[in-house]
Amino acid sequence: MKLCPLPCKTSRYTSLLGLALALASSGAAAETFTMPAPNSDTIGEIAYTKALQEDTLLDVARRFSLGQDEIVLANAKVDRWYPREGTQVLLPKLFVLPDAQRNGVVLNVPEMRLYYFQPKKGTVESYPVSIGRMDWKTPRGMTRVVEKVTNPSWRPPETIKREHAADGDILPDVVPPGPNNPLGKFAMKLGIPGYLIHGTGVDKEYGIGMRVTHGCVRMYPEDIAQLFPVVPAGSPVQIVNQPVKVGWNGQDLYIEVHPPLEEDNLDYDQLLAQAMNLLQKKVEKHAVPEIDGQALKAALKDPTGVPVLISKPIAAQQSKGAGVLGTETPAAGEASAGSNRS
């Protein structure tokens, strides 16, 4: 695995590590990062790996705790089902943190990623998740973890039972704990009735990072096994809708853009308005940078989920005089671009 550019790192045992991970029966659990300073907003690094002969992009995603849509968006020119042995695959492991309180669980719905902040320990963890389909939306707002359950039973609501019955799949009133239980081995009930953060059954382990659930938040088995023990009951949970994120990494300003939720129907102008509001907020306590308008425009028009540098180097700004926020930003109008769910 190769990491870059913050800074680029290499390792003599990379190939052996990759092989070991590939042969493992399950993926690697998500990483734990040091909490960035209050005036910094990024964690992780961009990384690269090479596909193995038997790999799909889904295999690579599972190996590195990434979501399915996440890795596909970041590798638009790589075949999802047959990337070919030796193909370089970008691992989008650099994250701009959501604009939210850095405490407890933060779920950014369009990003399909969950963050867990532990201020007392000075750490933050990040996990890919699946969210609700368009017709079964994952809720938004503030809530809490109200109960934690090991080896949960699943009691499908009547609405879900009718949906399955229409396809000839008759669900029982109760699905007991076991490998085919869609809640997996661990579940955290939220204060919003019927909604959970949970694992998954063996038949859906590779379906993380998509809009496929009935509103709940679904995680890789190895990820929920890591998260479940450290999140106490009562922990705050913030569920936000932020397709556009802006943040500082040292003196560099990045933007990270994800495809908006289909039902929000946001066009380019609306995404640009969100970006400009966030930019104004981010420069309140920093020197005002000069913005690379072309990079900003490209990030908004073609969301990849990969953070993009949008501030120009300080040296270049000094040679031209003080930079002004928005001097090259693209103008609006340029283009339009009891029962539990599972």
Side-chain angles (χ1 to χ4, degrees):
M1 181 175 67
K2 183 179 179 182
L3 305 175
C4 70
L6 301 170
C8 186
K9 297 179 181 178
T10 58
S11 171
R12 294 176 61 186
Y13 57 83
T14 294
S15 58
L16 292 177
L17 175 61
L19 179 60
L21 289 171
L23 296 177
S25 59
S26 62
E31 299 168 89
T32 299
F33 303 93
T34 300
M35 185 97 74
N39 59 348
S40 186
D41 306 292
T42 62
I43 56 173
E45 297 174 292
I46 294 296
Y48 295 88
T49 191
K50 291 186 182 297
L52 303 177
Q53 182 178 6
E54 66 276 16
D55 274 342
T56 67
L57 279 185
L58 278 63
D59 295 313
V60 179
R62 177 78 181 276
R63 196 149 67 234
F64 292 97
S65 191
L66 293 166
Q68 184 174 152
D69 285 0
E70 192 172 37
I71 200 167
V72 170
L73 276 173
N75 295 274
K77 296 182 179 180
V78 178
D79 190 288
R80 178 195 306 233
W81 302 113
Y82 187 48
R84 295 183 182 274
E85 183 178 10
T87 297
Q88 181 168 271
V89 179
L90 187 153
L91 306 174
K93 302 286 284 185
L94 173 65
F95 308 108
V96 175
L97 296 176
D99 184 18
Q101 296 179 24
R102 297 180 184 180
N103 181 38
V105 174
V106 176
L107 169 66
N108 187 15
V109 177
E111 184 183 1
M112 289 184 275
R113 185 158 280 273
L114 180 152
Y115 299 85
Y116 180 53
F117 296 90
Q118 297 188 73
K120 292 183 179 180
K121 291 182 63 176
T123 61
V124 55
E125 301 165 27
S126 182
Y127 302 91
V129 298
S130 285
I131 60 168
R133 300 174 346 213
M134 187 172 177
D135 51 342
W136 290 90
K137 298 178 185 178
T138 298
R140 318 286 189 270
M142 290 289 299
T143 184
R144 290 188 175 274
V145 174
V146 296
E147 185 180 356
K148 298 171 62 178
V149 183
T150 301
N151 293 320
S153 297
W154 181 45
R155 293 172 172 80
E158 288 300 320
T159 49
I160 295 178
K161 292 170 70 174
R162 286 196 297 269
E163 179 184 88
H164 280 251
D167 295 328
D169 179 21
I170 307 302
L171 293 176
D173 292 335
V174 179
V175 178
N180 294 313
N181 186 310
L183 302 184
K185 293 183 179 180
F186 305 99
M188 294 185 284
K189 296 183 179 181
L190 303 182
I192 304 169
Y195 289 92
L196 314 171
I197 298 171
H198 62 80
T200 187
V202 295
D203 58 332
K204 298 179 181 178
E205 287 186 352
Y206 282 82
I208 301 303
M210 301 185 295
R211 297 195 70 178
V212 293
T213 79
H214 291 95
C216 283
V217 180
R218 183 188 299 169
M219 301 179 67
Y220 284 125
E222 60 271 18
D223 284 350
I224 188 69
Q226 176 175 306
L227 180 67
F228 184 85
V230 298
V231 178
S235 295
V237 178
Q238 304 170 69
I239 306 175
V240 300
N241 180 3
Q242 298 178 9
V244 179
K245 301 186 295 178
V246 174
W248 290 99
N249 186 304
Q251 297 298 313
D252 296 325
L253 192 59
Y254 283 82
I255 189 169
E256 179 181 327
V257 187
H258 296 265
L261 300 174
E262 293 177 22
E263 59 268 30
D264 290 344
N265 197 30
L266 300 180
D267 60 19
Y268 171 81
D269 293 346
Q270 291 168 308
L271 292 175
L272 176 60
Q274 288 189 20
M276 295 306 297
N277 288 336
L278 289 169
L279 285 169
Q280 293 289 352
K281 184 175 181 178
K282 287 299 177 183
V283 301
E284 287 178 354
K285 298 180 181 180
H286 280 259
V288 180
E290 182 176 353
I291 299 301
D292 183 337
Q294 292 305 309
L296 174 60
K297 178 179 178 180
L300 293 170
K301 289 178 68 69
D302 183 24
T304 65
V306 179
V308 174
L309 179 65
I310 56 171
S311 60
K312 293 192 173 181
I314 293 177
Q317 295 182 37
Q318 291 174 341
S319 66
K320 296 171 59 178
V324 179
L325 176 64
T327 49
E328 296 187 16
T329 51
E334 283 188 334
S336 294
S339 293
N340 299 318
R341 296 161 176 81
S342 69

